[in-house]
Amino acid sequence: MSSESEPTSSGDNLLQTPEQEHGSSRLRQLSPGHVRKLGLTRKTRERRDLKEDENPEEKARRHKELELKPLYRELLYTIAHKMGKPSSAEVFTDSQLHQYIQETFTMTESEHSSLAERVQSTKPPAYCLMATVKEAKEILGKDISGFSDPYCLLTVMEDEEESRTRRSRAKPSKSIVKEAVSNDKIYQSDIKKQTLNPIWNQTFILEFEDIAGASFHLEMWDKDEEVSLTQKLEEIKTNFSSLKRMIKEAKKEKGTDDFLGNVVIKLQDLHCTEDNWYNLEPRTETYPNRGQCHLNLKFIHKERDGTLSAGRSAYINYCGILQQFVQAYISKQQRAAPWKGALCGEAQTLLELYATQNDLSPFLQDLAKWVAYSKLYQSLEVDSSVLFQQLTSVEYHWHQQELPYQQKQELGDSLHGFLQYGLCLVAKYRDIFPPTPSATPKLHTLLRILVQICKTKAFQKLNPAQFELHDEVTDALQTGTQEWFTIKKGLHQPMTKDLSEIVSALSRLIGEVQEDVKHNKVTWNRVFVSAVQVDVFTVVYKQLDSLLAKEVRETLSLIEGQMEQALANSLFPVYLSLQAIHKEKAFLQKRGSLIQLTNFQEGFREALPYWLNQAFSTTQDRVERAVQVDQLQPLQSGAVPIKHSSSAVDLVACIQPVCQLWEQLSWPDPEEAFMLMVKLTEDVCKIVVNYCHTLKERVRVLSENSDHGRAINMLCVVVNDLEHLRSVLSKLPTQLNWAGLRDRTQTVIGESQFHNTLPSQLQQAQSVLGREIRSALDTLGKKLNTDIESHVRNMSTRRRIPSKSTEDAADPLMRYLEKELHYMNENLVQENFNSLLTPLWNNSVKILYQVATQHPQQGGLMVFCQRLLYTLQCLEQCFSAEGNGLPTDTLHSDVYKALKAHLTHNSLSSWQLMEKFLERKIWEQNVNSTEKYGAVTLLASYSRSDQRLRVEVLNAVNLLPMDSNGLSDPFVQLCLEPSHTFPEVEPRCTRIKNCDLNPLFEETFEFLVSQGQCQAPGACLVLTVLDHDTLTTDDFEGEAFLALKAIPGVAGECKGDGLSSQPEAVPAQIRLPLMHPKPNEDSILTLLESRRGEREAQAYVKKRRQREKQSRDGIQP
């Protein structure tokens, strides 16, 4: 017994974890009678060999003799007596397998030959086929009831037995096994009563001598038992359909079993392990479909030589072989990537053969893999998914099969040890699993393995202690965080006792903590929460918060009362880092406990004035340097021009840090925060005002030796700089979040105090900018206004017949404006350019109006007004710039509208004025709805076929009495106007109706006029109602104006010949109220009257003036 115990012990040590090697005695005491509490045994220990002072060469030699050679002999024995085909697709010869194990175990050729000879001299094993009959389905029903009582006969037949059986049979027989093999080689299963789907789950071990030519036979029979006549008659009554089966039973000998089918498989065709459904084959053609039988077949060894590995168990040998194969595979790969469980084909084949021959269950195989892989995980780069897969397999088999006591202990110790090791890795997760895409999945898989271990029934059975993985992981994280902080604190210790060095060391430590908090929130927290439901961010943050708050308090206590500018500057990054860390508290899941860093700002109150002073002085210096190097030239020209200079850009960039300082400080006290905002706003406004003064001085210096054009250009750039700065300054309340500050200070700062302080500061700075911009624009506009007035007044010297055309007369002004405005547009930003355009436009319109109204009313006025109107239109196009200049509302001022109306009328010819006059009369007629002076009714139409205008005067009503008798003698005069459009058409008159105020005329008149004449501007039919007097001039009753375009047949497209295929228009009855003109109120008549040299105009004015004198509207009541 003593000779066997030592190898067994050494074999057990092959797959022990580092914890087991040095703590196996302790774990053995705790298991199974004592409870394992993993929280007490978490720290890993360093590995030490049993004999630390042993020579390495002697140690390697002893390891080879005691550990490797026994395993090597086992593998040689396995190859020599292998049976069945491996499950892998690739097939290896014996020489290939020998070469592989020789390389894997580093055996020399002589060692291989010596060990091979010893193996050949050993006794061969007994070859066996382990056959498990699991179940059958859909077999034949041979009994009267329609069911069968099946059982199975199993045997292995050699070639001689089978051939001898065939020769002895004179005719085909259903039975092979019963007649060919002796009863001691036939194995029979249990009989399952009355079923067509029997379940056995019985295992038989069938020995054979040679696999070549041997075959496995299984026959299934229906057990036939004698039944009484009374029972059979009862069955006939209940089931008449079984009569045929009863007749067949009567013919059969009593006690003869029925053949149900058989399965014959050549052993050479089998794999090492097979688990399949096989069809039950008939011996004859009767009932070919006989169902299926589920078999598990495996080749095993019996009486295997136990001296090869000094009596160690097959399981221990399997563990050692597996570990040797894995180590050889990993070392041969020589890759940085972790091992993912793959093995070469030779290793898989040998492991399968050895496990099969020694009848190692899948449970023991997976247990060996778990133990081996969990140990390798602690020393080699093994992918965590490999362990997870093996753990899942062990848990599956735990529910299917019972383990021996020794293997149970090994499994419990392995799970316990791996949990210890895994928690140690969790404590050092920062170093082992950095926040990289390749490392975090490994941490996630490790945590899943720990969770799966705790969930397994095996762990719960073998470790019955109350164990909460969540608490253990939290404890590991806290311990690891404490150790990590201590290490970092030691690395960043100040080299001297200088205060600046102490602050710098604290800043570096806080930077490390800030980075760690960030990684825990962004990367590691997701991993821990998804795997073990542990909020690592909250655990770590609270731990670091307590540790860091203590360090900050100690450091600030050292510098209290010793503040200076340099020390305050070194404290600012410390403040910012603490601020960033403190803001992360918003992501904490459990906020019950108080955060130690709350109100940490109070410790920095002494440094705050130094920070503000540093920000202001630094910004002011940068702004002054920016102006000193500014050449006052636009930064960029082209498609997207930048019209301000470099100093404006630099100023905005310099102001941004001052604004960012407010956000960085995030001062918690509302009242102090308001005072801080007042100081920052005051500093910004002061910087802006100083910039204006510095920029003006820079313009003065650069303009001393520059020409006028260069000086104007620089002035444009200065205006753009100030405008750019004004736009930036207007955004200051948004940048500094005044609205948010107002919400915070509502309880401590009054509304009036808030608005009277901050906005007033900003308004003062903006007013300074506005004054400077207006001053510069006024300087630019003075010269332009003077030149425009000179050009416009030069045009007023043109008299009756100008020596130049209208275009030539306006050309100098337009060329000047185009040049100057183009220059200003290129050198001014849009806001300032528009500010310059508006006064220029208003001044130009004002000058034109003065010139137009001051021109004497004499000959040449029309031509002169046409020239001024053309000039006004050109100016409007120039200043609007196709929608890119001044808007229409600005252009169309009241002065512009009055000027345009004046010039438009004075630019028209006399005929055009007459047409305008008649169009106005037609409009007055259409809007007049009263019949104060009576009305005239008529029928009117136009015939395009003969170009005739037909007018039938029907009647007149409600006429005014003109005679002394209170009546009138009315008649209607019809006239087509204007006369220059109808020069050949004479006026027509109706008959006189005596003593009638509602006369009925019913007279028709035709006018031969073309459609084009009827559609001419102002074309109308003027109806004048007069009272006939024999001795004196006829009295004026009233007049009406009918637009010819409104008469049916006139509207529409004019044909060349005046003919149309359209039907004749239906006459329309029209009622026209009579009107009286108002004396001296028509501007068109006044304008016509001023044109003394035109007879036609004077005659028309005389006619209309006469009508005004006859008008009753001129009589005052």
mmCIF file with all atom_site columns, all heavy atoms in Angstrom, residues 169-185:
data_model
loop_
_atom_site.group_PDB
_atom_site.id
_atom_site.type_symbol
_atom_site.label_atom_id
_atom_site.label_alt_id
_atom_site.label_comp_id
_atom_site.label_asym_id
_atom_site.label_entity_id
_atom_site.label_seq_id
_atom_site.pdbx_PDB_ins_code
_atom_site.Cartn_x
_atom_site.Cartn_y
_atom_site.Cartn_z
_atom_site.occupancy
_atom_site.B_iso_or_equiv
_atom_site.pdbx_formal_charge
_atom_site.auth_seq_id
_atom_site.auth_comp_id
_atom_site.auth_asym_id
_atom_site.auth_atom_id
_atom_site.pdbx_PDB_model_num
ATOM 1   N N   . ARG A 1 169 ? -27.304 -23.761 -40.813 1.00 0.00 ? 169 ARG A N   1
ATOM 2   C CA  . ARG A 1 169 ? -28.721 -23.530 -41.061 1.00 0.00 ? 169 ARG A CA  1
ATOM 3   C C   . ARG A 1 169 ? -29.083 -23.992 -42.453 1.00 0.00 ? 169 ARG A C   1
ATOM 4   O O   . ARG A 1 169 ? -28.480 -23.544 -43.448 1.00 0.00 ? 169 ARG A O   1
ATOM 5   C CB  . ARG A 1 169 ? -29.068 -22.044 -40.919 1.00 0.00 ? 169 ARG A CB  1
ATOM 6   C CG  . ARG A 1 169 ? -29.087 -21.568 -39.473 1.00 0.00 ? 169 ARG A CG  1
ATOM 7   C CD  . ARG A 1 169 ? -29.883 -20.274 -39.372 1.00 0.00 ? 169 ARG A CD  1
ATOM 8   N NE  . ARG A 1 169 ? -29.321 -19.229 -40.209 1.00 0.00 ? 169 ARG A NE  1
ATOM 9   C CZ  . ARG A 1 169 ? -28.463 -18.314 -39.789 1.00 0.00 ? 169 ARG A CZ  1
ATOM 10  N NH1 . ARG A 1 169 ? -28.064 -18.313 -38.528 1.00 0.00 ? 169 ARG A NH1 1
ATOM 11  N NH2 . ARG A 1 169 ? -27.992 -17.392 -40.609 1.00 0.00 ? 169 ARG A NH2 1
ATOM 12  N N   . ALA A 1 170 ? -30.076 -24.866 -42.526 1.00 0.00 ? 170 ALA A N   1
ATOM 13  C CA  . ALA A 1 170 ? -30.510 -25.342 -43.847 1.00 0.00 ? 170 ALA A CA  1
ATOM 14  C C   . ALA A 1 170 ? -31.394 -24.311 -44.521 1.00 0.00 ? 170 ALA A C   1
ATOM 15  O O   . ALA A 1 170 ? -31.427 -24.219 -45.740 1.00 0.00 ? 170 ALA A O   1
ATOM 16  C CB  . ALA A 1 170 ? -31.266 -26.661 -43.690 1.00 0.00 ? 170 ALA A CB  1
ATOM 17  N N   . LYS A 1 171 ? -32.108 -23.523 -43.745 1.00 0.00 ? 171 LYS A N   1
ATOM 18  C CA  . LYS A 1 171 ? -32.966 -22.484 -44.299 1.00 0.00 ? 171 LYS A CA  1
ATOM 19  C C   . LYS A 1 171 ? -32.839 -21.236 -43.454 1.00 0.00 ? 171 LYS A C   1
ATOM 20  O O   . LYS A 1 171 ? -32.371 -21.288 -42.320 1.00 0.00 ? 171 LYS A O   1
ATOM 21  C CB  . LYS A 1 171 ? -34.421 -22.937 -44.334 1.00 0.00 ? 171 LYS A CB  1
ATOM 22  C CG  . LYS A 1 171 ? -35.009 -23.240 -42.961 1.00 0.00 ? 171 LYS A CG  1
ATOM 23  C CD  . LYS A 1 171 ? -36.454 -23.648 -43.101 1.00 0.00 ? 171 LYS A CD  1
ATOM 24  C CE  . LYS A 1 171 ? -37.063 -23.901 -41.703 1.00 0.00 ? 171 LYS A CE  1
ATOM 25  N NZ  . LYS A 1 171 ? -38.496 -24.248 -41.808 1.00 0.00 ? 171 LYS A NZ  1
ATOM 26  N N   . PRO A 1 172 ? -33.253 -20.111 -43.999 1.00 0.00 ? 172 PRO A N   1
ATOM 27  C CA  . PRO A 1 172 ? -33.115 -18.864 -43.243 1.00 0.00 ? 172 PRO A CA  1
ATOM 28  C C   . PRO A 1 172 ? -33.856 -18.948 -41.922 1.00 0.00 ? 172 PRO A C   1
ATOM 29  O O   . PRO A 1 172 ? -34.963 -19.460 -41.843 1.00 0.00 ? 172 PRO A O   1
ATOM 30  C CB  . PRO A 1 172 ? -33.727 -17.806 -44.149 1.00 0.00 ? 172 PRO A CB  1
ATOM 31  C CG  . PRO A 1 172 ? -33.648 -18.403 -45.507 1.00 0.00 ? 172 PRO A CG  1
ATOM 32  C CD  . PRO A 1 172 ? -33.770 -19.881 -45.345 1.00 0.00 ? 172 PRO A CD  1
ATOM 33  N N   . SER A 1 173 ? -33.206 -18.444 -40.914 1.00 0.00 ? 173 SER A N   1
ATOM 34  C CA  . SER A 1 173 ? -33.789 -18.475 -39.583 1.00 0.00 ? 173 SER A CA  1
ATOM 35  C C   . SER A 1 173 ? -33.793 -17.064 -39.026 1.00 0.00 ? 173 SER A C   1
ATOM 36  O O   . SER A 1 173 ? -32.885 -16.279 -39.275 1.00 0.00 ? 173 SER A O   1
ATOM 37  C CB  . SER A 1 173 ? -32.993 -19.400 -38.645 1.00 0.00 ? 173 SER A CB  1
ATOM 38  O OG  . SER A 1 173 ? -33.458 -19.297 -37.334 1.00 0.00 ? 173 SER A OG  1
ATOM 39  N N   . LYS A 1 174 ? -34.836 -16.784 -38.257 1.00 0.00 ? 174 LYS A N   1
ATOM 40  C CA  . LYS A 1 174 ? -34.890 -15.477 -37.629 1.00 0.00 ? 174 LYS A CA  1
ATOM 41  C C   . LYS A 1 174 ? -33.846 -15.335 -36.542 1.00 0.00 ? 174 LYS A C   1
ATOM 42  O O   . LYS A 1 174 ? -33.305 -14.283 -36.315 1.00 0.00 ? 174 LYS A O   1
ATOM 43  C CB  . LYS A 1 174 ? -36.284 -15.245 -37.041 1.00 0.00 ? 174 LYS A CB  1
ATOM 44  C CG  . LYS A 1 174 ? -37.393 -15.204 -38.085 1.00 0.00 ? 174 LYS A CG  1
ATOM 45  C CD  . LYS A 1 174 ? -38.713 -14.969 -37.428 1.00 0.00 ? 174 LYS A CD  1
ATOM 46  C CE  . LYS A 1 174 ? -39.841 -14.933 -38.458 1.00 0.00 ? 174 LYS A CE  1
ATOM 47  N NZ  . LYS A 1 174 ? -41.148 -14.720 -37.824 1.00 0.00 ? 174 LYS A NZ  1
ATOM 48  N N   . SER A 1 175 ? -33.576 -16.376 -35.833 1.00 0.00 ? 175 SER A N   1
ATOM 49  C CA  . SER A 1 175 ? -32.679 -16.314 -34.686 1.00 0.00 ? 175 SER A CA  1
ATOM 50  C C   . SER A 1 175 ? -31.247 -16.568 -35.117 1.00 0.00 ? 175 SER A C   1
ATOM 51  O O   . SER A 1 175 ? -30.957 -17.542 -35.837 1.00 0.00 ? 175 SER A O   1
ATOM 52  C CB  . SER A 1 175 ? -33.109 -17.348 -33.628 1.00 0.00 ? 175 SER A CB  1
ATOM 53  O OG  . SER A 1 175 ? -32.208 -17.364 -32.562 1.00 0.00 ? 175 SER A OG  1
ATOM 54  N N   . ILE A 1 176 ? -30.355 -15.655 -34.701 1.00 0.00 ? 176 ILE A N   1
ATOM 55  C CA  . ILE A 1 176 ? -28.927 -15.809 -34.950 1.00 0.00 ? 176 ILE A CA  1
ATOM 56  C C   . ILE A 1 176 ? -28.193 -15.987 -33.637 1.00 0.00 ? 176 ILE A C   1
ATOM 57  O O   . ILE A 1 176 ? -27.410 -16.905 -33.452 1.00 0.00 ? 176 ILE A O   1
ATOM 58  C CB  . ILE A 1 176 ? -28.369 -14.611 -35.707 1.00 0.00 ? 176 ILE A CB  1
ATOM 59  C CG1 . ILE A 1 176 ? -29.009 -14.525 -37.091 1.00 0.00 ? 176 ILE A CG1 1
ATOM 60  C CG2 . ILE A 1 176 ? -26.858 -14.700 -35.818 1.00 0.00 ? 176 ILE A CG2 1
ATOM 61  C CD1 . ILE A 1 176 ? -28.542 -13.357 -37.890 1.00 0.00 ? 176 ILE A CD1 1
ATOM 62  N N   . VAL A 1 177 ? -28.473 -15.078 -32.692 1.00 0.00 ? 177 VAL A N   1
ATOM 63  C CA  . VAL A 1 177 ? -27.745 -15.084 -31.435 1.00 0.00 ? 177 VAL A CA  1
ATOM 64  C C   . VAL A 1 177 ? -28.001 -16.364 -30.650 1.00 0.00 ? 177 VAL A C   1
ATOM 65  O O   . VAL A 1 177 ? -27.085 -16.987 -30.117 1.00 0.00 ? 177 VAL A O   1
ATOM 66  C CB  . VAL A 1 177 ? -28.146 -13.852 -30.607 1.00 0.00 ? 177 VAL A CB  1
ATOM 67  C CG1 . VAL A 1 177 ? -27.522 -13.902 -29.229 1.00 0.00 ? 177 VAL A CG1 1
ATOM 68  C CG2 . VAL A 1 177 ? -27.749 -12.587 -31.327 1.00 0.00 ? 177 VAL A CG2 1
ATOM 69  N N   . LYS A 1 178 ? -29.256 -16.788 -30.596 1.00 0.00 ? 178 LYS A N   1
ATOM 70  C CA  . LYS A 1 178 ? -29.588 -17.956 -29.783 1.00 0.00 ? 178 LYS A CA  1
ATOM 71  C C   . LYS A 1 178 ? -28.914 -19.221 -30.291 1.00 0.00 ? 178 LYS A C   1
ATOM 72  O O   . LYS A 1 178 ? -28.514 -20.089 -29.521 1.00 0.00 ? 178 LYS A O   1
ATOM 73  C CB  . LYS A 1 178 ? -31.107 -18.166 -29.769 1.00 0.00 ? 178 LYS A CB  1
ATOM 74  C CG  . LYS A 1 178 ? -31.868 -17.110 -28.968 1.00 0.00 ? 178 LYS A CG  1
ATOM 75  C CD  . LYS A 1 178 ? -33.343 -17.439 -28.969 1.00 0.00 ? 178 LYS A CD  1
ATOM 76  C CE  . LYS A 1 178 ? -34.115 -16.422 -28.146 1.00 0.00 ? 178 LYS A CE  1
ATOM 77  N NZ  . LYS A 1 178 ? -35.561 -16.728 -28.115 1.00 0.00 ? 178 LYS A NZ  1
ATOM 78  N N   . GLU A 1 179 ? -28.774 -19.346 -31.599 1.00 0.00 ? 179 GLU A N   1
ATOM 79  C CA  . GLU A 1 179 ? -28.261 -20.566 -32.174 1.00 0.00 ? 179 GLU A CA  1
ATOM 80  C C   . GLU A 1 179 ? -26.750 -20.537 -32.391 1.00 0.00 ? 179 GLU A C   1
ATOM 81  O O   . GLU A 1 179 ? -26.134 -21.596 -32.543 1.00 0.00 ? 179 GLU A O   1
ATOM 82  C CB  . GLU A 1 179 ? -28.952 -20.824 -33.523 1.00 0.00 ? 179 GLU A CB  1
ATOM 83  C CG  . GLU A 1 179 ? -30.466 -20.970 -33.385 1.00 0.00 ? 179 GLU A CG  1
ATOM 84  C CD  . GLU A 1 179 ? -31.124 -21.142 -34.749 1.00 0.00 ? 179 GLU A CD  1
ATOM 85  O OE1 . GLU A 1 179 ? -30.378 -21.110 -35.749 1.00 0.00 ? 179 GLU A OE1 1
ATOM 86  O OE2 . GLU A 1 179 ? -32.354 -21.276 -34.799 1.00 0.00 ? 179 GLU A OE2 1
ATOM 87  N N   . ALA A 1 180 ? -26.145 -19.352 -32.428 1.00 0.00 ? 180 ALA A N   1
ATOM 88  C CA  . ALA A 1 180 ? -24.739 -19.272 -32.833 1.00 0.00 ? 180 ALA A CA  1
ATOM 89  C C   . ALA A 1 180 ? -23.789 -19.163 -31.655 1.00 0.00 ? 180 ALA A C   1
ATOM 90  O O   . ALA A 1 180 ? -22.611 -19.507 -31.768 1.00 0.00 ? 180 ALA A O   1
ATOM 91  C CB  . ALA A 1 180 ? -24.533 -18.082 -33.761 1.00 0.00 ? 180 ALA A CB  1
ATOM 92  N N   . VAL A 1 181 ? -24.230 -18.632 -30.536 1.00 0.00 ? 181 VAL A N   1
ATOM 93  C CA  . VAL A 1 181 ? -23.331 -18.331 -29.434 1.00 0.00 ? 181 VAL A CA  1
ATOM 94  C C   . VAL A 1 181 ? -23.826 -19.047 -28.187 1.00 0.00 ? 181 VAL A C   1
ATOM 95  O O   . VAL A 1 181 ? -25.041 -19.212 -27.981 1.00 0.00 ? 181 VAL A O   1
ATOM 96  C CB  . VAL A 1 181 ? -23.274 -16.810 -29.183 1.00 0.00 ? 181 VAL A CB  1
ATOM 97  C CG1 . VAL A 1 181 ? -22.255 -16.473 -28.108 1.00 0.00 ? 181 VAL A CG1 1
ATOM 98  C CG2 . VAL A 1 181 ? -22.946 -16.068 -30.468 1.00 0.00 ? 181 VAL A CG2 1
ATOM 99  N N   . SER A 1 182 ? -22.864 -19.438 -27.396 1.00 0.00 ? 182 SER A N   1
ATOM 100 C CA  . SER A 1 182 ? -23.213 -20.090 -26.136 1.00 0.00 ? 182 SER A CA  1
ATOM 101 C C   . SER A 1 182 ? -23.904 -19.107 -25.215 1.00 0.00 ? 182 SER A C   1
ATOM 102 O O   . SER A 1 182 ? -23.737 -17.897 -25.332 1.00 0.00 ? 182 SER A O   1
ATOM 103 C CB  . SER A 1 182 ? -21.960 -20.656 -25.467 1.00 0.00 ? 182 SER A CB  1
ATOM 104 O OG  . SER A 1 182 ? -21.047 -19.602 -25.200 1.00 0.00 ? 182 SER A OG  1
ATOM 105 N N   . ASN A 1 183 ? -24.654 -19.665 -24.306 1.00 0.00 ? 183 ASN A N   1
ATOM 106 C CA  . ASN A 1 183 ? -25.463 -18.814 -23.437 1.00 0.00 ? 183 ASN A CA  1
ATOM 107 C C   . ASN A 1 183 ? -24.626 -17.906 -22.559 1.00 0.00 ? 183 ASN A C   1
ATOM 108 O O   . ASN A 1 183 ? -25.072 -16.832 -22.161 1.00 0.00 ? 183 ASN A O   1
ATOM 109 C CB  . ASN A 1 183 ? -26.365 -19.692 -22.559 1.00 0.00 ? 183 ASN A CB  1
ATOM 110 C CG  . ASN A 1 183 ? -27.446 -20.385 -23.395 1.00 0.00 ? 183 ASN A CG  1
ATOM 111 O OD1 . ASN A 1 183 ? -27.821 -19.898 -24.453 1.00 0.00 ? 183 ASN A OD1 1
ATOM 112 N ND2 . ASN A 1 183 ? -27.921 -21.525 -22.917 1.00 0.00 ? 183 ASN A ND2 1
ATOM 113 N N   . ASP A 1 184 ? -23.405 -18.334 -22.211 1.00 0.00 ? 184 ASP A N   1
ATOM 114 C CA  . ASP A 1 184 ? -22.602 -17.483 -21.346 1.00 0.00 ? 184 ASP A CA  1
ATOM 115 C C   . ASP A 1 184 ? -22.104 -16.222 -22.048 1.00 0.00 ? 184 ASP A C   1
ATOM 116 O O   . ASP A 1 184 ? -21.613 -15.303 -21.394 1.00 0.00 ? 184 ASP A O   1
ATOM 117 C CB  . ASP A 1 184 ? -21.417 -18.284 -20.790 1.00 0.00 ? 184 ASP A CB  1
ATOM 118 C CG  . ASP A 1 184 ? -20.530 -18.811 -21.924 1.00 0.00 ? 184 ASP A CG  1
ATOM 119 O OD1 . ASP A 1 184 ? -21.021 -18.883 -23.070 1.00 0.00 ? 184 ASP A OD1 1
ATOM 120 O OD2 . ASP A 1 184 ? -19.357 -19.120 -21.642 1.00 0.00 ? 184 ASP A OD2 1
ATOM 121 N N   . LYS A 1 185 ? -22.179 -16.175 -23.377 1.00 0.00 ? 185 LYS A N   1
ATOM 122 C CA  . LYS A 1 185 ? -21.777 -14.988 -24.119 1.00 0.00 ? 185 LYS A CA  1
ATOM 123 C C   . LYS A 1 185 ? -22.972 -14.144 -24.558 1.00 0.00 ? 185 LYS A C   1
ATOM 124 O O   . LYS A 1 185 ? -22.813 -13.157 -25.262 1.00 0.00 ? 185 LYS A O   1
ATOM 125 C CB  . LYS A 1 185 ? -20.961 -15.380 -25.346 1.00 0.00 ? 185 LYS A CB  1
ATOM 126 C CG  . LYS A 1 185 ? -19.613 -16.000 -25.001 1.00 0.00 ? 185 LYS A CG  1
ATOM 127 C CD  . LYS A 1 185 ? -18.815 -16.256 -26.251 1.00 0.00 ? 185 LYS A CD  1
ATOM 128 C CE  . LYS A 1 185 ? -17.435 -16.830 -25.916 1.00 0.00 ? 185 LYS A CE  1
ATOM 129 N NZ  . LYS A 1 185 ? -16.634 -17.077 -27.139 1.00 0.00 ? 185 LYS A NZ  1
#
